[in-house]
PDB file of all heavy atoms in Angstrom:
ATOM      1  N   GLN A   1      -4.200 -10.957  29.277  1.00  0.00           N
ATOM      2  CA  GLN A   1      -4.277 -12.292  28.682  1.00  0.00           C
ATOM      3  C   GLN A   1      -5.438 -12.456  27.708  1.00  0.00           C
ATOM      4  O   GLN A   1      -5.370 -13.234  26.768  1.00  0.00           O
ATOM      5  CB  GLN A   1      -4.388 -13.334  29.798  1.00  0.00           C
ATOM      6  CG  GLN A   1      -4.141 -14.756  29.343  1.00  0.00           C
ATOM      7  CD  GLN A   1      -4.071 -15.712  30.523  1.00  0.00           C
ATOM      8  OE1 GLN A   1      -3.939 -15.293  31.676  1.00  0.00           O
ATOM      9  NE2 GLN A   1      -4.158 -16.990  30.235  1.00  0.00           N
ATOM     10  N   ILE A   2      -6.545 -11.738  27.938  1.00  0.00           N
ATOM     11  CA  ILE A   2      -7.698 -11.791  27.048  1.00  0.00           C
ATOM     12  C   ILE A   2      -8.098 -10.370  26.673  1.00  0.00           C
ATOM     13  O   ILE A   2      -7.543  -9.399  27.188  1.00  0.00           O
ATOM     14  CB  ILE A   2      -8.899 -12.521  27.699  1.00  0.00           C
ATOM     15  CG1 ILE A   2      -9.383 -11.749  28.937  1.00  0.00           C
ATOM     16  CG2 ILE A   2      -8.542 -13.960  28.046  1.00  0.00           C
ATOM     17  CD1 ILE A   2     -10.683 -12.276  29.529  1.00  0.00           C
ATOM     18  N   ASP A   3      -9.083 -10.270  25.809  1.00  0.00           N
ATOM     19  CA  ASP A   3      -9.583  -8.961  25.393  1.00  0.00           C
ATOM     20  C   ASP A   3     -10.626  -8.495  26.406  1.00  0.00           C
ATOM     21  O   ASP A   3     -11.833  -8.622  26.203  1.00  0.00           O
ATOM     22  CB  ASP A   3     -10.191  -9.059  23.990  1.00  0.00           C
ATOM     23  CG  ASP A   3     -10.691  -7.718  23.485  1.00  0.00           C
ATOM     24  OD1 ASP A   3     -10.211  -6.681  23.991  1.00  0.00           O
ATOM     25  OD2 ASP A   3     -11.563  -7.706  22.597  1.00  0.00           O
ATOM     26  N   TRP A   4     -10.145  -7.958  27.525  1.00  0.00           N
ATOM     27  CA  TRP A   4     -11.030  -7.478  28.564  1.00  0.00           C
ATOM     28  C   TRP A   4     -11.788  -6.236  28.101  1.00  0.00           C
ATOM     29  O   TRP A   4     -11.283  -5.455  27.294  1.00  0.00           O
ATOM     30  CB  TRP A   4     -10.239  -7.098  29.816  1.00  0.00           C
ATOM     31  CG  TRP A   4      -9.638  -8.234  30.575  1.00  0.00           C
ATOM     32  CD1 TRP A   4      -8.384  -8.733  30.442  1.00  0.00           C
ATOM     33  CD2 TRP A   4     -10.261  -9.006  31.621  1.00  0.00           C
ATOM     34  NE1 TRP A   4      -8.178  -9.768  31.328  1.00  0.00           N
ATOM     35  CE2 TRP A   4      -9.309  -9.954  32.066  1.00  0.00           C
ATOM     36  CE3 TRP A   4     -11.523  -8.978  32.220  1.00  0.00           C
ATOM     37  CZ2 TRP A   4      -9.593 -10.872  33.081  1.00  0.00           C
ATOM     38  CZ3 TRP A   4     -11.809  -9.889  33.225  1.00  0.00           C
ATOM     39  CH2 TRP A   4     -10.851 -10.828  33.646  1.00  0.00           C
ATOM     40  N   GLN A   5     -12.969  -6.049  28.627  1.00  0.00           N
ATOM     41  CA  GLN A   5     -13.656  -4.777  28.489  1.00  0.00           C
ATOM     42  C   GLN A   5     -13.093  -3.861  29.558  1.00  0.00           C
ATOM     43  O   GLN A   5     -13.190  -4.158  30.747  1.00  0.00           O
ATOM     44  CB  GLN A   5     -15.165  -4.956  28.665  1.00  0.00           C
ATOM     45  CG  GLN A   5     -15.969  -3.703  28.412  1.00  0.00           C
ATOM     46  CD  GLN A   5     -17.462  -3.946  28.509  1.00  0.00           C
ATOM     47  OE1 GLN A   5     -17.899  -5.027  28.910  1.00  0.00           O
ATOM     48  NE2 GLN A   5     -18.263  -2.955  28.158  1.00  0.00           N
ATOM     49  N   SER A   6     -12.489  -2.762  29.142  1.00  0.00           N
ATOM     50  CA  SER A   6     -11.796  -1.878  30.070  1.00  0.00           C
ATOM     51  C   SER A   6     -12.611  -0.610  30.316  1.00  0.00           C
ATOM     52  O   SER A   6     -13.026   0.071  29.376  1.00  0.00           O
ATOM     53  CB  SER A   6     -10.429  -1.497  29.509  1.00  0.00           C
ATOM     54  OG  SER A   6      -9.747  -0.632  30.377  1.00  0.00           O
ATOM     55  N   PHE A   7     -12.857  -0.324  31.591  1.00  0.00           N
ATOM     56  CA  PHE A   7     -13.559   0.898  31.984  1.00  0.00           C
ATOM     57  C   PHE A   7     -12.540   1.832  32.628  1.00  0.00           C
ATOM     58  O   PHE A   7     -11.937   1.496  33.646  1.00  0.00           O
ATOM     59  CB  PHE A   7     -14.683   0.578  32.975  1.00  0.00           C
ATOM     60  CG  PHE A   7     -15.759  -0.314  32.409  1.00  0.00           C
ATOM     61  CD1 PHE A   7     -15.620  -1.698  32.442  1.00  0.00           C
ATOM     62  CD2 PHE A   7     -16.897   0.223  31.845  1.00  0.00           C
ATOM     63  CE1 PHE A   7     -16.610  -2.526  31.929  1.00  0.00           C
ATOM     64  CE2 PHE A   7     -17.894  -0.588  31.322  1.00  0.00           C
ATOM     65  CZ  PHE A   7     -17.741  -1.974  31.363  1.00  0.00           C
ATOM     66  N   GLN A   8     -12.358   3.001  32.040  1.00  0.00           N
ATOM     67  CA  GLN A   8     -11.380   3.974  32.537  1.00  0.00           C
ATOM     68  C   GLN A   8     -12.018   5.352  32.547  1.00  0.00           C
ATOM     69  O   GLN A   8     -11.896   6.127  31.611  1.00  0.00           O
ATOM     70  CB  GLN A   8     -10.130   3.962  31.635  1.00  0.00           C
ATOM     71  CG  GLN A   8      -9.452   2.620  31.491  1.00  0.00           C
ATOM     72  CD  GLN A   8      -8.719   2.198  32.754  1.00  0.00           C
ATOM     73  OE1 GLN A   8      -8.253   3.039  33.529  1.00  0.00           O
ATOM     74  NE2 GLN A   8      -8.610   0.894  32.976  1.00  0.00           N
ATOM     75  N   THR A   9     -12.735   5.655  33.603  1.00  0.00           N
ATOM     76  CA  THR A   9     -13.417   6.945  33.729  1.00  0.00           C
ATOM     77  C   THR A   9     -13.180   7.485  35.139  1.00  0.00           C
ATOM     78  O   THR A   9     -12.661   6.765  36.002  1.00  0.00           O
ATOM     79  CB  THR A   9     -14.938   6.801  33.489  1.00  0.00           C
ATOM     80  OG1 THR A   9     -15.539   6.181  34.641  1.00  0.00           O
ATOM     81  CG2 THR A   9     -15.236   5.976  32.245  1.00  0.00           C
ATOM     82  N   PRO A  10     -13.578   8.726  35.409  1.00  0.00           N
ATOM     83  CA  PRO A  10     -13.449   9.242  36.782  1.00  0.00           C
ATOM     84  C   PRO A  10     -14.263   8.452  37.804  1.00  0.00           C
ATOM     85  O   PRO A  10     -13.984   8.519  39.002  1.00  0.00           O
ATOM     86  CB  PRO A  10     -13.965  10.682  36.656  1.00  0.00           C
ATOM     87  CG  PRO A  10     -13.738  11.047  35.234  1.00  0.00           C
ATOM     88  CD  PRO A  10     -13.983   9.788  34.470  1.00  0.00           C
ATOM     89  N   ALA A  11     -15.260   7.682  37.340  1.00  0.00           N
ATOM     90  CA  ALA A  11     -16.133   6.946  38.257  1.00  0.00           C
ATOM     91  C   ALA A  11     -15.762   5.475  38.388  1.00  0.00           C
ATOM     92  O   ALA A  11     -16.177   4.819  39.348  1.00  0.00           O
ATOM     93  CB  ALA A  11     -17.586   7.066  37.802  1.00  0.00           C
ATOM     94  N   GLU A  12     -15.007   4.937  37.465  1.00  0.00           N
ATOM     95  CA  GLU A  12     -14.661   3.514  37.519  1.00  0.00           C
ATOM     96  C   GLU A  12     -13.380   3.227  36.746  1.00  0.00           C
ATOM     97  O   GLU A  12     -13.112   3.818  35.703  1.00  0.00           O
ATOM     98  CB  GLU A  12     -15.802   2.653  36.988  1.00  0.00           C
ATOM     99  CG  GLU A  12     -16.247   2.988  35.582  1.00  0.00           C
ATOM    100  CD  GLU A  12     -17.451   2.180  35.130  1.00  0.00           C
ATOM    101  OE1 GLU A  12     -17.644   1.046  35.619  1.00  0.00           O
ATOM    102  OE2 GLU A  12     -18.201   2.663  34.265  1.00  0.00           O
ATOM    103  N   LYS A  13     -12.623   2.321  37.306  1.00  0.00           N
ATOM    104  CA  LYS A  13     -11.404   1.861  36.669  1.00  0.00           C
ATOM    105  C   LYS A  13     -11.311   0.364  36.934  1.00  0.00           C
ATOM    106  O   LYS A  13     -10.870  -0.070  37.999  1.00  0.00           O
ATOM    107  CB  LYS A  13     -10.179   2.590  37.227  1.00  0.00           C
ATOM    108  CG  LYS A  13      -8.871   2.243  36.537  1.00  0.00           C
ATOM    109  CD  LYS A  13      -7.720   3.039  37.130  1.00  0.00           C
ATOM    110  CE  LYS A  13      -6.403   2.664  36.438  1.00  0.00           C
ATOM    111  NZ  LYS A  13      -5.246   3.395  37.039  1.00  0.00           N
ATOM    112  N   LYS A  14     -11.773  -0.439  35.962  1.00  0.00           N
ATOM    113  CA  LYS A  14     -11.878  -1.877  36.187  1.00  0.00           C
ATOM    114  C   LYS A  14     -11.858  -2.613  34.855  1.00  0.00           C
ATOM    115  O   LYS A  14     -11.931  -2.005  33.777  1.00  0.00           O
ATOM    116  CB  LYS A  14     -13.170  -2.201  36.930  1.00  0.00           C
ATOM    117  CG  LYS A  14     -14.428  -1.942  36.117  1.00  0.00           C
ATOM    118  CD  LYS A  14     -15.678  -2.430  36.829  1.00  0.00           C
ATOM    119  CE  LYS A  14     -16.896  -2.360  35.902  1.00  0.00           C
ATOM    120  NZ  LYS A  14     -18.114  -2.908  36.517  1.00  0.00           N
ATOM    121  N   LEU A  15     -11.783  -3.935  34.944  1.00  0.00           N
ATOM    122  CA  LEU A  15     -11.829  -4.816  33.783  1.00  0.00           C
ATOM    123  C   LEU A  15     -12.997  -5.783  33.943  1.00  0.00           C
ATOM    124  O   LEU A  15     -13.295  -6.234  35.049  1.00  0.00           O
ATOM    125  CB  LEU A  15     -10.533  -5.619  33.648  1.00  0.00           C
ATOM    126  CG  LEU A  15      -9.238  -4.819  33.516  1.00  0.00           C
ATOM    127  CD1 LEU A  15      -8.028  -5.759  33.571  1.00  0.00           C
ATOM    128  CD2 LEU A  15      -9.222  -4.015  32.214  1.00  0.00           C
ATOM    129  N   ALA A  16     -13.643  -6.116  32.829  1.00  0.00           N
ATOM    130  CA  ALA A  16     -14.745  -7.077  32.852  1.00  0.00           C
ATOM    131  C   ALA A  16     -14.674  -7.945  31.612  1.00  0.00           C
ATOM    132  O   ALA A  16     -14.309  -7.475  30.527  1.00  0.00           O
ATOM    133  CB  ALA A  16     -16.085  -6.357  32.913  1.00  0.00           C
ATOM    134  N   SER A  17     -15.012  -9.215  31.753  1.00  0.00           N
ATOM    135  CA  SER A  17     -14.994 -10.119  30.607  1.00  0.00           C
ATOM    136  C   SER A  17     -16.114  -9.748  29.642  1.00  0.00           C
ATOM    137  O   SER A  17     -17.163  -9.240  30.038  1.00  0.00           O
ATOM    138  CB  SER A  17     -15.166 -11.565  31.070  1.00  0.00           C
ATOM    139  OG  SER A  17     -16.377 -11.735  31.787  1.00  0.00           O
ATOM    140  N   LYS A  18     -15.883 -10.027  28.362  1.00  0.00           N
ATOM    141  CA  LYS A  18     -16.868  -9.689  27.339  1.00  0.00           C
ATOM    142  C   LYS A  18     -17.787 -10.856  27.003  1.00  0.00           C
ATOM    143  O   LYS A  18     -18.920 -10.647  26.572  1.00  0.00           O
ATOM    144  CB  LYS A  18     -16.160  -9.220  26.062  1.00  0.00           C
ATOM    145  CG  LYS A  18     -15.437  -7.899  26.189  1.00  0.00           C
ATOM    146  CD  LYS A  18     -14.812  -7.514  24.858  1.00  0.00           C
ATOM    147  CE  LYS A  18     -14.120  -6.163  24.941  1.00  0.00           C
ATOM    148  NZ  LYS A  18     -13.486  -5.784  23.646  1.00  0.00           N
ATOM    149  N   HIS A  19     -17.297 -12.089  27.156  1.00  0.00           N
ATOM    150  CA  HIS A  19     -18.078 -13.243  26.717  1.00  0.00           C
ATOM    151  C   HIS A  19     -17.613 -14.489  27.441  1.00  0.00           C
ATOM    152  O   HIS A  19     -16.444 -14.588  27.837  1.00  0.00           O
ATOM    153  CB  HIS A  19     -17.939 -13.418  25.197  1.00  0.00           C
ATOM    154  CG  HIS A  19     -19.016 -14.264  24.585  1.00  0.00           C
ATOM    155  ND1 HIS A  19     -18.992 -15.636  24.656  1.00  0.00           N
ATOM    156  CD2 HIS A  19     -20.150 -13.926  23.932  1.00  0.00           C
ATOM    157  CE1 HIS A  19     -20.075 -16.119  24.040  1.00  0.00           C
ATOM    158  NE2 HIS A  19     -20.798 -15.107  23.597  1.00  0.00           N
ATOM    159  N   GLU A  20     -18.494 -15.454  27.601  1.00  0.00           N
ATOM    160  CA  GLU A  20     -18.135 -16.698  28.275  1.00  0.00           C
ATOM    161  C   GLU A  20     -17.056 -17.479  27.526  1.00  0.00           C
ATOM    162  O   GLU A  20     -16.359 -18.308  28.113  1.00  0.00           O
ATOM    163  CB  GLU A  20     -19.364 -17.579  28.467  1.00  0.00           C
ATOM    164  CG  GLU A  20     -19.985 -18.076  27.175  1.00  0.00           C
ATOM    165  CD  GLU A  20     -21.254 -18.869  27.431  1.00  0.00           C
ATOM    166  OE1 GLU A  20     -22.307 -18.248  27.657  1.00  0.00           O
ATOM    167  OE2 GLU A  20     -21.183 -20.104  27.398  1.00  0.00           O
ATOM    168  N   HIS A  21     -16.890 -17.211  26.235  1.00  0.00           N
ATOM    169  CA  HIS A  21     -15.841 -17.907  25.472  1.00  0.00           C
ATOM    170  C   HIS A  21     -14.445 -17.566  25.979  1.00  0.00           C
ATOM    171  O   HIS A  21     -13.483 -18.275  25.687  1.00  0.00           O
ATOM    172  CB  HIS A  21     -15.943 -17.557  23.979  1.00  0.00           C
ATOM    173  CG  HIS A  21     -17.175 -18.108  23.329  1.00  0.00           C
ATOM    174  ND1 HIS A  21     -17.634 -17.676  22.104  1.00  0.00           N
ATOM    175  CD2 HIS A  21     -18.041 -19.065  23.733  1.00  0.00           C
ATOM    176  CE1 HIS A  21     -18.730 -18.337  21.782  1.00  0.00           C
ATOM    177  NE2 HIS A  21     -18.995 -19.171  22.759  1.00  0.00           N
ATOM    178  N   GLN A  22     -14.337 -16.479  26.729  1.00  0.00           N
ATOM    179  CA  GLN A  22     -13.049 -16.084  27.305  1.00  0.00           C
ATOM    180  C   GLN A  22     -12.736 -16.835  28.594  1.00  0.00           C
ATOM    181  O   GLN A  22     -11.659 -16.664  29.148  1.00  0.00           O
ATOM    182  CB  GLN A  22     -13.055 -14.574  27.594  1.00  0.00           C
ATOM    183  CG  GLN A  22     -13.238 -13.691  26.372  1.00  0.00           C
ATOM    184  CD  GLN A  22     -13.322 -12.218  26.747  1.00  0.00           C
ATOM    185  OE1 GLN A  22     -13.998 -11.846  27.702  1.00  0.00           O
ATOM    186  NE2 GLN A  22     -12.630 -11.372  26.003  1.00  0.00           N
ATOM    187  N   MET A  23     -13.662 -17.637  29.057  1.00  0.00           N
ATOM    188  CA  MET A  23     -13.520 -18.286  30.363  1.00  0.00           C
ATOM    189  C   MET A  23     -13.097 -19.742  30.215  1.00  0.00           C
ATOM    190  O   MET A  23     -13.335 -20.380  29.197  1.00  0.00           O
ATOM    191  CB  MET A  23     -14.858 -18.223  31.112  1.00  0.00           C
ATOM    192  CG  MET A  23     -15.420 -16.824  31.257  1.00  0.00           C
ATOM    193  SD  MET A  23     -17.101 -16.871  31.944  1.00  0.00           S
ATOM    194  CE  MET A  23     -17.621 -15.169  31.666  1.00  0.00           C
ATOM    195  N   GLY A  24     -12.490 -20.270  31.282  1.00  0.00           N
ATOM    196  CA  GLY A  24     -12.109 -21.665  31.310  1.00  0.00           C
ATOM    197  C   GLY A  24     -13.302 -22.569  31.569  1.00  0.00           C
ATOM    198  O   GLY A  24     -14.392 -22.121  31.909  1.00  0.00           O
ATOM    199  N   ASP A  25     -13.086 -23.875  31.413  1.00  0.00           N
ATOM    200  CA  ASP A  25     -14.179 -24.844  31.516  1.00  0.00           C
ATOM    201  C   ASP A  25     -14.787 -24.891  32.917  1.00  0.00           C
ATOM    202  O   ASP A  25     -16.012 -24.949  33.076  1.00  0.00           O
ATOM    203  CB  ASP A  25     -13.684 -26.239  31.117  1.00  0.00           C
ATOM    204  CG  ASP A  25     -13.378 -26.354  29.637  1.00  0.00           C
ATOM    205  OD1 ASP A  25     -13.963 -25.571  28.859  1.00  0.00           O
ATOM    206  OD2 ASP A  25     -12.565 -27.209  29.254  1.00  0.00           O
ATOM    207  N   ALA A  26     -13.955 -24.884  33.942  1.00  0.00           N
ATOM    208  CA  ALA A  26     -14.480 -24.942  35.311  1.00  0.00           C
ATOM    209  C   ALA A  26     -15.280 -23.693  35.630  1.00  0.00           C
ATOM    210  O   ALA A  26     -16.322 -23.753  36.300  1.00  0.00           O
ATOM    211  CB  ALA A  26     -13.333 -25.120  36.299  1.00  0.00           C
ATOM    212  N   THR A  27     -14.820 -22.545  35.136  1.00  0.00           N
ATOM    213  CA  THR A  27     -15.523 -21.288  35.373  1.00  0.00           C
ATOM    214  C   THR A  27     -16.887 -21.312  34.702  1.00  0.00           C
ATOM    215  O   THR A  27     -17.907 -20.944  35.312  1.00  0.00           O
ATOM    216  CB  THR A  27     -14.701 -20.104  34.833  1.00  0.00           C
ATOM    217  OG1 THR A  27     -13.413 -20.117  35.443  1.00  0.00           O
ATOM    218  CG2 THR A  27     -15.392 -18.784  35.142  1.00  0.00           C
ATOM    219  N   ARG A  28     -16.936 -21.752  33.464  1.00  0.00           N
ATOM    220  CA  ARG A  28     -18.214 -21.822  32.759  1.00  0.00           C
ATOM    221  C   ARG A  28     -19.183 -22.772  33.455  1.00  0.00           C
ATOM    222  O   ARG A  28     -20.373 -22.467  33.609  1.00  0.00           O
ATOM    223  CB  ARG A  28     -18.002 -22.302  31.316  1.00  0.00           C
ATOM    224  CG  ARG A  28     -17.404 -21.262  30.402  1.00  0.00           C
ATOM    225  CD  ARG A  28     -17.665 -21.646  28.961  1.00  0.00           C
ATOM    226  NE  ARG A  28     -16.492 -21.448  28.149  1.00  0.00           N
ATOM    227  CZ  ARG A  28     -16.445 -21.713  26.850  1.00  0.00           C
ATOM    228  NH1 ARG A  28     -17.488 -22.224  26.249  1.00  0.00           N
ATOM    229  NH2 ARG A  28     -15.340 -21.497  26.160  1.00  0.00           N
ATOM    230  N   LEU A  29     -18.684 -23.917  33.890  1.00  0.00           N
ATOM    231  CA  LEU A  29     -19.529 -24.890  34.561  1.00  0.00           C
ATOM    232  C   LEU A  29     -20.146 -24.288  35.829  1.00  0.00           C
ATOM    233  O   LEU A  29     -21.336 -24.474  36.105  1.00  0.00           O
ATOM    234  CB  LEU A  29     -18.731 -26.143  34.914  1.00  0.00           C
ATOM    235  CG  LEU A  29     -19.490 -27.237  35.685  1.00  0.00           C
ATOM    236  CD1 LEU A  29     -20.684 -27.729  34.876  1.00  0.00           C
ATOM    237  CD2 LEU A  29     -18.565 -28.401  36.027  1.00  0.00           C
ATOM    238  N   LEU A  30     -19.349 -23.545  36.585  1.00  0.00           N
ATOM    239  CA  LEU A  30     -19.868 -22.921  37.790  1.00  0.00           C
ATOM    240  C   LEU A  30     -20.915 -21.865  37.445  1.00  0.00           C
ATOM    241  O   LEU A  30     -21.990 -21.812  38.060  1.00  0.00           O
ATOM    242  CB  LEU A  30     -18.741 -22.291  38.607  1.00  0.00           C
ATOM    243  CG  LEU A  30     -19.196 -21.502  39.849  1.00  0.00           C
ATOM    244  CD1 LEU A  30     -20.002 -22.385  40.789  1.00  0.00           C
ATOM    245  CD2 LEU A  30     -18.002 -20.892  40.569  1.00  0.00           C
ATOM    246  N   LEU A  31     -20.642 -21.025  36.454  1.00  0.00           N
ATOM    247  CA  LEU A  31     -21.601 -19.997  36.075  1.00  0.00           C
ATOM    248  C   LEU A  31     -22.909 -20.607  35.599  1.00  0.00           C
ATOM    249  O   LEU A  31     -24.001 -20.114  35.932  1.00  0.00           O
ATOM    250  CB  LEU A  31     -21.012 -19.084  34.996  1.00  0.00           C
ATOM    251  CG  LEU A  31     -19.833 -18.212  35.416  1.00  0.00           C
ATOM    252  CD1 LEU A  31     -19.396 -17.311  34.263  1.00  0.00           C
ATOM    253  CD2 LEU A  31     -20.166 -17.358  36.625  1.00  0.00           C
ATOM    254  N   TYR A  32     -22.826 -21.695  34.823  1.00  0.00           N
ATOM    255  CA  TYR A  32     -24.043 -22.365  34.383  1.00  0.00           C
ATOM    256  C   TYR A  32     -24.812 -22.910  35.591  1.00  0.00           C
ATOM    257  O   TYR A  32     -26.044 -22.837  35.645  1.00  0.00           O
ATOM    258  CB  TYR A  32     -23.714 -23.523  33.437  1.00  0.00           C
ATOM    259  CG  TYR A  32     -23.033 -23.125  32.151  1.00  0.00           C
ATOM    260  CD1 TYR A  32     -22.309 -24.056  31.412  1.00  0.00           C
ATOM    261  CD2 TYR A  32     -23.093 -21.816  31.651  1.00  0.00           C
ATOM    262  CE1 TYR A  32     -21.674 -23.713  30.229  1.00  0.00           C
ATOM    263  CE2 TYR A  32     -22.454 -21.464  30.477  1.00  0.00           C
ATOM    264  CZ  TYR A  32     -21.745 -22.419  29.765  1.00  0.00           C
ATOM    265  OH  TYR A  32     -21.115 -22.069  28.598  1.00  0.00           O
ATOM    266  N   SER A  33     -24.093 -23.436  36.566  1.00  0.00           N
ATOM    267  CA  SER A  33     -24.741 -23.975  37.771  1.00  0.00           C
ATOM    268  C   SER A  33     -25.430 -22.868  38.560  1.00  0.00           C
ATOM    269  O   SER A  33     -26.506 -23.067  39.130  1.00  0.00           O
ATOM    270  CB  SER A  33     -23.710 -24.675  38.662  1.00  0.00           C
ATOM    271  OG  SER A  33     -23.146 -25.799  38.010  1.00  0.00           O
ATOM    272  N   LEU A  34     -24.810 -21.694  38.584  1.00  0.00           N
ATOM    273  CA  LEU A  34     -25.390 -20.569  39.313  1.00  0.00           C
ATOM    274  C   LEU A  34     -26.579 -19.948  38.577  1.00  0.00           C
ATOM    275  O   LEU A  34     -27.272 -19.089  39.134  1.00  0.00           O
ATOM    276  CB  LEU A  34     -24.320 -19.505  39.579  1.00  0.00           C
ATOM    277  CG  LEU A  34     -23.172 -19.961  40.494  1.00  0.00           C
ATOM    278  CD1 LEU A  34     -22.098 -18.896  40.577  1.00  0.00           C
ATOM    279  CD2 LEU A  34     -23.685 -20.319  41.889  1.00  0.00           C
TER     280      LEU A  34
END
């Protein structure tokens, strides 16, 4: 759905967000609170 940062190596296979602009409003609000 978004431009995930994709890690595909023998040590890791996962996705990570690149920027807060990819996140929804509730998610950003929680991250700012944390």
Side-chain angles (χ1 to χ4, degrees):
Q1 194 172 345
I2 63 172
D3 182 22
W4 290 94
Q5 185 176 8
S6 179
F7 297 86
Q8 303 288 331
T9 75
E12 56 184 332
K13 184 178 179 182
K14 67 173 189 176
L15 302 173
S17 58
K18 292 182 178 179
H19 199 281
E20 65 184 80
H21 292 165
Q22 298 176 316
M23 305 172 192
D25 291 335
T27 303
R28 286 199 223 180
L29 178 60
L30 175 58
L31 293 183
Y32 298 160
S33 296
L34 296 174

